[in-house]
Amino acid sequence: MPRQFIIPDKAKCLGCCTCLAACMLTHREEGAVPCPRLFLTPTAQGSVPLQCRQCDQAPCAEVCPVHAIEVQGEVVVLNEKKCVGCGICVLACPIGCIEIQAARQTAATGITLTTSILLPLTRSEQDEKKMRKIAVKCNMCYFRPEGPACVKVCPTEALRLVDEEDIRFWNLQRRQAYASSIGFQGAAE
Amino acid sequence: MAENPPVINHLQTRPQPVYRQDLCIACGACVGACRASARTLRPDFEKARVIWRFVPEACTGCGRCARYCSTGAITITPPGHLHEYFQIIRRYCPTGAITITPPADELTLSKAVKETSFPLQKCSCCGNHYASAFAIAHLATFLPDTFLSTCTACRRSKTAHSLTLQLLKIHPPNSPADVPVRDSGSLFESRVSYRTEGSKRGRAR
């Protein structure tokens, strides 16, 4: 069964980073690592925010040595308490939408503070003692009953929540386009 | 009669991790799991290697590294004084089902690997070193090799680029009229510019 995921529309995206800000704020309120789970990727035709596609047989969940990434229903969720930040899920992700962040746990509030974006292999000795590395990936805001925050806040509706019905519609369109290309006239309507 | 108290070597009273370099892929799971900071993994980009270090004195023998090792390169041996009790247990087993690995004594610990290095993998798109080559080879045994040879940033830009191709074929169900129709010329341009961008970055490094 295909899962729900979010796909951006490249023609509509302005690159305003509102989705990144909303993602960060939503996860900070929840007590998770406060950093965006989307990655604004520049291309020749404009930028586009990318995030986890919630693969059916998630390679990140397969390779995780501590079983921190688990499939919960329709969402592939990363358990931040279990994660040791080894970064093998980053290497296994086909679309590169998992990153390792350096986070610091504060005892008083229990909130993990992210101070800087550091790659797993490029960290200094001082950072290593203070920081804890945690992988971050999109979890579709599974704790929010309203659905993903990034989809709600996008000013141009460039982010789209794709479900089974949409996939069926797109497949139908592809079949119709193929049928019309091979000369079957009635299919295009 | 004042005798010197017997010196207890803490290395013998604690479980010791035994490390096999031939199985290690330098993924870094043990480094993240170690709460005593006895293990470090640091890259040396000039030599294109990642350096793995282990400090036996800092190790508490908790065994988290052995538990989380993806390839079984780290195993934990019992400490010396427990080993004698284990031998007694083994002697009384009627079927001989129990086997016990020998304890890590001072000689083997002095020979233990404290520092070693692994090669780094070069991204086939941008030319940066992004991961341990052995970790990539380990993943290639059960994952498709189509994306493993590129770094995370290049994977994302490839995904973003493929969205342009999808845009031409797929129209959103709600608003088919909103999607601009693009001719094949613009598609060709975008593909060319993507490739030159990658090769320029590769040459600069």
Coordinates of all heavy atoms in Angstrom, one line a residue, chain A residues 38-71:
Chain A
L38 N 13.1 19.7 5.8 CA 13.0 19.9 4.4 C 14.4 20.5 4.0 O 15.1 21.2 4.7 CB 11.9 20.9 4.0 CG 10.5 20.5 4.3 CD1 10.0 21.0 5.6 CD2 9.6 21.0 3.2
F39 N 14.7 20.3 2.7 CA 16.0 20.7 2.2 C 15.7 21.5 1.0 O 15.3 21.0 0.0 CB 16.9 19.6 1.9 CG 17.2 18.7 3.1 CD1 16.4 17.6 3.3 CD2 18.2 19.1 4.0 CE1 16.6 16.8 4.5 CE2 18.4 18.3 5.2 CZ 17.6 17.2 5.4
L40 N 15.9 22.8 1.0 CA 15.7 23.7 -0.1 C 16.9 23.5 -1.1 O 18.0 23.8 -0.8 CB 15.6 25.1 0.3 CG 15.0 26.0 -0.8 CD1 13.5 25.8 -0.8 CD2 15.3 27.5 -0.5
T41 N 16.6 22.9 -2.3 CA 17.6 22.5 -3.2 C 17.5 23.4 -4.4 O 16.5 23.4 -5.1 CB 17.4 21.0 -3.6 OG1 17.2 20.2 -2.5 CG2 18.6 20.5 -4.4
P42 N 18.6 24.1 -4.7 CA 18.6 25.0 -5.9 C 18.9 24.2 -7.1 O 19.7 23.3 -7.2 CB 19.7 25.9 -5.6 CG 20.7 25.2 -4.7 CD 19.8 24.3 -3.9
T43 N 18.1 24.5 -8.2 CA 18.4 23.9 -9.5 C 18.5 25.0 -10.5 O 18.3 26.2 -10.2 CB 17.3 22.9 -9.9 OG1 16.1 23.6 -10.0 CG2 17.1 21.8 -8.9
A44 N 18.7 24.6 -11.8 CA 18.8 25.6 -12.8 C 17.5 26.4 -13.0 O 17.5 27.5 -13.4 CB 19.2 25.0 -14.1
Q45 N 16.4 25.8 -12.7 CA 15.1 26.4 -13.0 C 14.4 26.8 -11.7 O 13.2 26.9 -11.6 CB 14.2 25.4 -13.7 CG 14.7 25.1 -15.1 CD 13.7 24.2 -15.8 OE1 13.0 23.5 -15.2 NE2 13.8 24.3 -17.1
G46 N 15.2 27.1 -10.7 CA 14.6 27.6 -9.4 C 14.7 26.5 -8.3 O 15.1 25.4 -8.6
S47 N 14.5 27.0 -7.1 CA 14.7 26.1 -6.0 C 13.4 25.3 -5.7 O 12.3 25.6 -6.1 CB 15.0 26.9 -4.7 OG 14.0 27.9 -4.5
V48 N 13.6 24.2 -4.9 CA 12.5 23.3 -4.6 C 12.8 22.6 -3.3 O 14.0 22.2 -3.0 CB 12.3 22.3 -5.8 CG1 13.4 21.3 -5.9 CG2 11.0 21.6 -5.6
P49 N 11.9 22.6 -2.3 CA 12.1 21.9 -1.1 C 11.9 20.4 -1.2 O 10.8 20.0 -1.7 CB 11.1 22.6 -0.1 CG 10.0 23.0 -1.0 CD 10.6 23.3 -2.4
L50 N 12.9 19.7 -0.7 CA 12.8 18.2 -0.8 C 12.7 17.6 0.6 O 13.2 18.2 1.5 CB 14.0 17.6 -1.5 CG 14.1 17.9 -3.0 CD1 15.4 17.3 -3.5 CD2 13.0 17.4 -3.8
Q51 N 11.9 16.5 0.7 CA 11.8 15.9 2.0 C 11.6 14.4 1.8 O 11.4 13.9 0.6 CB 10.7 16.5 2.8 CG 9.4 16.5 2.2 CD 8.5 17.4 2.9 OE1 8.3 17.3 4.1 NE2 7.8 18.3 2.2
C52 N 11.6 13.7 2.9 CA 11.5 12.2 2.8 C 10.2 11.8 2.1 O 9.1 12.3 2.2 CB 11.4 11.6 4.3 SG 11.1 9.9 4.4
R53 N 10.3 10.7 1.3 CA 9.2 10.2 0.5 C 8.5 9.0 1.1 O 7.7 8.4 0.5 CB 9.7 9.8 -0.9 CG 10.3 10.9 -1.7 CD 9.2 11.6 -2.5 NE 9.7 12.8 -3.1 CZ 10.3 12.8 -4.3 NH1 10.4 11.7 -5.0 NH2 10.7 13.9 -4.8
Q54 N 8.9 8.7 2.3 CA 8.3 7.6 3.1 C 8.3 6.3 2.3 O 7.2 5.7 2.0 CB 6.9 7.9 3.6 CG 6.7 9.4 4.0 CD 7.4 9.7 5.4 OE1 7.7 8.7 6.1 NE2 7.7 10.9 5.6
C55 N 9.5 5.8 1.9 CA 9.6 4.6 1.0 C 8.8 3.4 1.6 O 8.8 3.3 2.8 CB 11.0 4.3 0.8 SG 12.1 5.6 0.3
D56 N 8.3 2.6 0.7 CA 7.6 1.4 1.2 C 8.6 0.5 2.0 O 8.3 0.0 3.1 CB 7.0 0.7 0.0 CG 5.5 1.1 -0.1 OD1 5.0 1.7 0.9 OD2 4.9 0.7 -1.1
Q57 N 9.7 0.1 1.3 CA 10.7 -0.7 2.0 C 11.8 0.2 2.3 O 12.8 0.3 1.6 CB 11.1 -1.9 1.1 CG 10.1 -2.9 0.9 CD 10.5 -3.9 0.0 OE1 11.3 -3.7 -0.9 NE2 9.8 -5.1 0.0
A58 N 11.7 1.0 3.4 CA 12.6 2.1 3.7 C 14.0 1.6 3.9 O 14.3 0.8 4.8 CB 12.1 2.9 4.9
P59 N 15.0 2.0 3.0 CA 16.4 1.6 3.2 C 17.0 2.1 4.5 O 17.8 1.4 5.2 CB 17.1 2.2 2.0 CG 16.1 2.6 1.1 CD 14.9 2.9 1.9
C60 N 16.5 3.3 5.0 CA 17.1 3.8 6.2 C 16.7 2.9 7.4 O 17.5 2.7 8.3 CB 16.6 5.2 6.4 SG 14.8 5.5 6.2
A61 N 15.4 2.4 7.4 CA 15.0 1.6 8.5 C 15.7 0.2 8.4 O 15.9 -0.4 9.5 CB 13.5 1.4 8.4
E62 N 16.1 -0.2 7.2 CA 16.8 -1.5 7.1 C 18.2 -1.4 7.7 O 18.6 -2.4 8.3 CB 16.8 -1.9 5.6 CG 15.7 -2.7 5.1 CD 15.9 -3.1 3.7 OE1 17.0 -3.5 3.3 OE2 14.9 -2.9 2.9
V63 N 18.9 -0.3 7.4 CA 20.3 -0.3 7.8 C 20.5 0.2 9.2 O 21.7 0.1 9.7 CB 21.1 0.6 6.8 CG1 21.0 0.1 5.4 CG2 20.6 2.0 6.8
C64 N 19.5 0.8 9.8 CA 19.8 1.4 11.1 C 20.3 0.3 12.2 O 19.6 -0.6 12.4 CB 18.5 2.1 11.7 SG 18.8 3.0 13.2
P65 N 21.5 0.5 12.7 CA 22.0 -0.5 13.6 C 21.3 -0.6 15.0 O 21.3 -1.6 15.7 CB 23.4 -0.2 13.8 CG 23.5 1.3 13.5 CD 22.4 1.6 12.5
V66 N 20.6 0.6 15.4 CA 20.0 0.6 16.7 C 18.5 0.5 16.6 O 17.8 0.7 17.6 CB 20.4 1.9 17.5 CG1 21.9 1.9 17.7 CG2 20.0 3.1 16.7
H67 N 17.9 0.3 15.4 CA 16.5 0.3 15.1 C 15.8 1.5 15.6 O 14.7 1.5 16.2 CB 15.9 -1.0 15.7 CG 16.6 -2.3 15.3 ND1 16.5 -2.7 14.0 CD2 17.4 -3.1 16.0 CE1 17.2 -3.8 13.9 NE2 17.7 -4.1 15.1
A68 N 16.4 2.7 15.3 CA 15.8 3.9 15.7 C 14.8 4.4 14.7 O 13.9 5.1 15.0 CB 16.9 5.0 15.9
I69 N 15.0 3.9 13.4 CA 14.0 4.3 12.4 C 13.0 3.1 12.2 O 13.5 2.0 11.9 CB 14.7 4.6 11.1 CG1 15.7 5.7 11.3 CG2 13.7 5.0 10.0 CD1 16.6 6.1 10.1
E70 N 11.8 3.4 12.4 CA 10.8 2.4 12.4 C 9.6 2.8 11.5 O 9.3 4.0 11.4 CB 10.3 2.1 13.8 CG 11.3 1.2 14.6 CD 10.8 1.1 16.0 OE1 10.0 1.8 16.5 OE2 11.4 0.2 16.7
V71 N 8.9 1.9 11.0 CA 7.7 2.2 10.2 C 6.5 2.1 11.1 O 6.2 1.1 11.7 CB 7.6 1.2 9.0 CG1 6.3 1.5 8.2 CG2 8.8 1.2 8.1

